[in-house]
Amino acid sequence: MAETDPKSVQDLTAVVQTLLQQMQDKFQTMSDQIIGRNILTTRIDELEKNIAELMTQAGVEDEEGDNKATAGDGS
């Protein structure tokens, strides 16, 4: 059997390590984006809830929210 060239093995190892690092970086970026979106969505939901509560306390009807519910029914 022919022996494997150490230079080729080192090159292949370097390529594989580079690819794995790139994959890890992309995965981390995607994870950060997902977490960021979840946090932003949660904050927006909380803000909408607080606004609705303030409007209720002020005696203002949420006409836009009523329209959203009607439009969301698929009717």
Side-chain angles (χ1 to χ4, degrees):
M1 282 193 195
E3 291 185 31
T4 306
D5 181 14
K7 178 99 170 107
S8 297
V9 172
Q10 290 173 349
D11 290 345
L12 181 59
T13 300
V15 169
V16 170
Q17 286 177 336
T18 300
L19 287 173
L20 288 173
Q21 184 62 48
Q22 289 172 349
M23 289 174 58
Q24 183 177 0
D25 292 345
K26 287 181 182 180
F27 180 80
Q28 186 63 48
T29 300
M30 289 173 45
S31 295
D32 292 345
Q33 289 174 347
I34 291 169
I35 290 169
R37 286 184 186 139
N38 287 340
I39 290 171
L40 181 59
T41 300
T42 301
R43 295 188 79 187
I44 290 171
D45 290 344
E46 290 173 359
L47 182 59
E48 288 177 343
K49 181 181 173 187
N50 290 337
I51 290 170
E53 289 174 0
L54 289 171
M55 290 174 70
T56 300
Q57 290 174 2
V60 177
E61 292 184 17
D62 185 10
E63 293 177 17
E64 185 179 332
D66 292 342
N67 291 338
K68 277 194 231 176
T70 304
D73 292 342
S75 314

